[in-house]
Amino acid sequence: MTEQQLAAVYDAFHAARATTTLVAQLYSRAMGDAYPHELETSSSCDWPLLATMVDRLRLRPGARLADLGCGTGGVGLWLARALSVHLVGIDISPTAISLATRRIPAFVPPGQATFRTATMEATGLPDAHADGIVCVDALGFVPDPMGALREMRRVLRPGGRAVLTSGSLRSRSAAPPWPERAAAAGLELEWEEERPHEPAMWSRLYRLWAEHEADLRLHLGDDQAGSMLTEARTRSRTVGDRRSVTVTLRRPGGEGATSDATV
């Protein structure tokens, strides 16, 4: 699939979901009181994940945060407000970027956040631009995940951290272990923390999608609803074998780095 075709797929996805609150309602029911309503995310982002990102990023006020695969921007905007940092969100979908941009005034003052259309493998950001990066449920959907990890290293300042979510099957993971992937991208693995509650959330969500098929088709149309139902049928078979983790990667150097210089 070309970049333009992939963008069109996500444009349709975001455009359909922007017309209804039904999808957010089903995510809320699947997550219960762990669902961060203000964010209106279509991802596994919950209050525990937000807390982990705040803890692992360790950003100071005024720092620069990049949200890669930002979608409609809820995660990055919440972090920008909570941490008093400057945000740039990147997504391949122009529709997602337009929706995210409209949400800025609800979270932060003018000038504190921007959103732009680009890919995770080629963000267009300057070298060493970001003090921190977040990437929620997006890395597994890019054509070149290792290319995206190398781009994270380029964009991070030395000592900066990237916090991302990742999922795989315990019995037959196709990707190398995270220490190997981090090293291949020139990054250090600081933490790999399992999210044991997440597979059960996906199971509940897929069940809700199936139960509300008629409503999904009414509100989203047959194409988008059909895609969701296919995902639910396919992934519900293996969700019990799923391993979900939050990974924190650090670009070597920066504060605390060993130096050969004599003080």
Side-chain angles (χ1 to χ4, degrees):
M1 188 178 294
T2 67
E3 182 179 319
Q4 291 75 16
Q5 290 171 326
L6 192 60
V9 168
Y10 286 111
D11 278 345
F13 168 90
H14 289 292
R17 294 194 179 192
T19 64
T20 178
T21 62
L22 176 60
V23 177
Q25 291 171 19
L26 297 181
Y27 271 90
S28 175
R29 288 179 59 183
M31 289 189 189
D33 61 8
Y35 182 71
H37 288 270
E38 187 182 16
L39 276 64
E40 298 179 355
T41 59
S42 296
S43 70
S44 67
C45 184
D46 53 16
W47 285 118
L49 179 59
L50 289 169
T52 296
M53 289 191 289
V54 168
D55 180 52
R56 298 312 188 198
L57 286 168
R58 302 183 180 181
L59 294 177
R60 299 174 181 176
R64 291 182 294 201
L65 173 69
D67 183 358
L68 304 189
C70 65
T72 57
V75 173
L77 286 168
W78 187 92
L79 290 167
R81 183 180 63 193
L83 300 174
S84 297
V85 298
H86 295 278
L87 171 72
V88 57
I90 301 292
D91 200 277
I92 195 174
S93 165
T95 297
I97 293 302
S98 176
L99 292 167
T101 301
R102 293 178 205 171
R103 301 179 71 185
I104 292 174
F107 286 86
V108 295
Q112 192 174 333
T114 60
F115 293 93
R116 61 177 69 176
T117 304
T119 68
M120 286 174 53
E121 301 97 323
T123 62
L125 297 173
D127 291 352
H129 172 81
D131 300 289
I133 290 174
V134 292
C135 178
V136 178
D137 295 358
L139 186 65
F141 294 95
V142 301
D144 181 10
M146 282 305 304
L149 290 175
R150 288 190 290 269
E151 178 72 349
M152 289 183 194
R153 184 198 182 281
R154 185 189 68 79
V155 169
L156 278 174
R157 66 161 177 81
R161 294 177 173 88
V163 182
L164 55 95
T165 60
S166 176
S168 61
L169 297 181
R170 296 178 186 276
S171 61
R172 54 179 192 276
S173 177
W178 268 107
E180 294 181 21
R181 278 186 272 179
L187 296 163
E188 297 173 346
L189 176 66
E190 281 199 329
W191 290 283
E192 180 179 358
E193 303 159 283
E194 191 158 353
R195 285 166 51 83
H197 64 282
E198 189 185 309
M201 183 281 292
W202 287 117
S203 182
R204 291 191 296 270
L205 183 65
Y206 292 150
R207 188 163 55 248
L208 286 166
W209 286 357
E211 291 172 358
H212 291 80
E213 176 176 356
D215 290 333
L216 288 169
R217 292 189 183 279
L218 176 64
H219 288 273
L220 300 176
D222 286 336
D223 287 346
Q224 289 301 314
S227 177
M228 293 171 66
L229 293 165
T230 298
E231 177 184 338
R233 284 192 299 269
T234 302
R235 297 195 176 184
S236 60
R237 301 169 191 160
T238 59
V239 72
D241 191 36
R242 180 179 172 87
R243 180 175 184 264
S244 300
V245 296
T246 306
V247 175
T248 304
L249 307 173
R250 182 179 181 275
R251 178 173 172 175
E255 293 183 12
T258 301
S259 174
D260 294 328
T262 301
V263 179

